Every structure is written in C-alpha cells, then in structure tokens.
Amino acid sequence: MSAANQTTATGTTPTDAAAAGQMIEVRDLVKTFGKLRALDGITFSAERGTVLGLLGPNGAGKSTLVRILTTLLRPDSGIARLAGLDVVADAQRLRSLIGLTGQAAAVDELLTGRENLELIGLWYHFPKREYRRRAQETLERLSLTGAADRLAKTYSGGMRRRLDIGASLIADPPILCLDEPTTGLDPPSRNELWRLVRQRVDAGATVLLTTQYMEEAEQLADRIVVIDKGKVIADGTADQLKARTGGATLEARVANPSDLDRASALLASLSRTVPPRSNPEQRQVSIPAGQGTGLLLDAGRRFQEAGIALDDLGIHRPTLDEVFLSLTGQPHDNAEPPSAEVTP
C-alpha cells in the first residue's frame, strides 16, 4: 500500500539533485535491536529509472532496511535519502513520493477492491473523476475487474496481494519499494506484475525490490545488492556477480567412467592456465570457458578424434542461486509460489 496513507499528500516532488541522478542513497546505515545489530553500516545507491534488487538470507536485515527507507522505522545512525529527502528529517514530505508493497497484503477487508484503490487516490487528493479512473485502470491491469465490487475479505490470498500491489501503483509514485511483491502470486499474475514494474521504470520510476525468487531478480534488477548479517557483501549487475563465482565453464560428461582421466588430460591441453576440475561421481570434468563457443567446438572435435564417448558437452553459466550460495554459504529460498492461487 502507498506510504502516503500515513500523512496527507503534499504534492512534493523530487529535489533537483535527485531528478538528475541518485534517487536512493544509503550511507553507513546502522540499526540495532537490543544486542542485535540488524544493519551494520549499510551503503549503496540507486539511480533514477532503475531497479535495485536487494537479496539476502532470512534475518539479513532486508525488511529492516525497507522499513527505514519508507519512514516506518528510524535508523540509529547513518544517512538514508530518497529523492534527495532524508528519511528522518523529511519523513512527512517523503511519504507522498513512495509506493510501498510489504511482505503481507495490507488491504481493508471491509471495503471492496475498487473502494480500496479509490481510497488511496483520495489520500493523494486526486479529483473524484481522476481517482476513479486510476482505480479502474489498476483493476484492469491486475485482472481484478470481475471482483472489483466484492468485499476484499472474500478475496483469495493471491487476489489480495494483487490489490495491495495496485494500491502502491495507483498514484504513479517516483519511488517504489516492493518487499517480496510476488509471494503467493500465480505465474500469470507474477508476469503481469513484472510488466507493470518495467512500464513504471521506463516512465522514470526507481524501484527497490526484495525478492526470494532468483529469476525475478535476474529479470528485473539493473543492479543487485546482497546483504548478510546486516552488511553489504556484494554489489553489481547479475553478470558481475556471476563472474565472482568463476564465470562460465566448459563441462564434459563421459559415457564411460574409465575415460574420465583421458577426458581430463584432453581438457588440460585446452586450458593451460587453470587445471581441470573433476567430479568422478558425475563422470564430469570442467575447465573455464573464457573462449566461449570456439572452445566448445574445439573440445567437441578433439573428443571425437580421441574416441571418447560423451553423454554431454556444453558451456555452463553460473546462476544467481549459485552466486547466492557462494556469497552467503547457504542456499536461497527459491521455491515456486503456491500454485493454488488462480485468477478468477
């Protein structure tokens, strides 16, 4: 739901400095809860018209950070600015610039879906005709027109989630904070949300996205910040983060386990700087694939000439899941959303 629901919209616009550059600036941010140091000197930034993906294991501090950036929680120290406005000193002015979707859908169950959205437009002081138009457009975008005039308490979990997301979009805020926005959505609804996010970014919005789905981060994020134990442990594009795991590899799986040593020697002759990595259980051997498809073709020809039968030969590129595991030492919770939620 829009952060504007905590104060009267003032018509605030981003500062001139933010309009031309950074829309999110976080520097040395610290937040503690008793002895727990939830945020321990977090620093990052995001430019206007981009999506910044925020990843981290459970308890890393992601939700605490989102609450601070949306003025719902005060930091102990450090600086956080959105659109050039300080999240503490300028909190009231800033709230009208932020659209927030939290981890749990925040809708009024005693209102209809349409009334929920129109109420957000009323908080923004839109004229009646305008907030009704925006509510109708949002219902259509999120495939909720058939349930628009039903009470929200009759909605399924996925429908409530879509309604909550719609509330954060209805005022076209310049900054969107989406905290695991597609949890509980069926695949078509998730794809529709991705399309809406891209449209908003193309129109100049800046998006902070936390997600538990690696595919979502790779599809949407221009840059990714990984935090663990309250600290930033990686910052870069998806390709840059993948390169930290060693980059692409050429992998060969022999048909006969007795050929594994020969296959390893063959690949060693193709990679004179890095020795091959062997996995006897998988009958697999690999080397860095810096030369790309040229190396693949050369290796295939040499295996054929040597009479080494293969079950598989290809170039493997690291996934964000592998990056996450490499950086944090634990797998990411990347389960698919529940499939029971369907669009009515």
Side-chain angles (χ1 to χ4, degrees), residues 292-316:
T293 55
L295 179 65
L296 177 64
L297 293 172
D298 192 16
R301 177 180 56 80
R302 295 200 186 192
F303 276 116
Q304 186 176 30
E305 291 174 350
I308 300 175
L310 300 177
D311 283 344
D312 190 30
L313 176 66
I315 293 178
H316 171 76

Side-chain angles (χ1 to χ4, degrees), residues 320-336:
L320 277 182
D321 282 298
E322 292 169 330
V323 171
F324 192 89
L325 178 61
S326 174
L327 291 171
T328 66
Q330 54 184 299
H332 201 273
D333 181 7
N334 197 30
E336 281 297 306

Side-chain angles (χ1 to χ4, degrees), residues 208-219:
L208 178 69
L209 170 74
T210 76
T211 179
Q212 59 179 305
Y213 306 125
M214 295 293 98
E215 180 190 7
E216 187 162 83
E218 189 148 17
Q219 285 280 341

Side-chain angles (χ1 to χ4, degrees), residues 3 13 25 34 53 61 65 118 136 155 165 169 186-187 190 202 229 268 281 287 292 307 329 334 341:
T13 57
E25 179 187 4
L65 178 57
E118 290 183 352
Q136 179 62 29
Y155 282 18
I165 292 166
L169 298 173
D186 55 81
R190 186 162 32 133
D202 289 343
K229 299 176 182 177
E281 292 184 357
I287 58 173
N334 197 30
E341 300 292 0

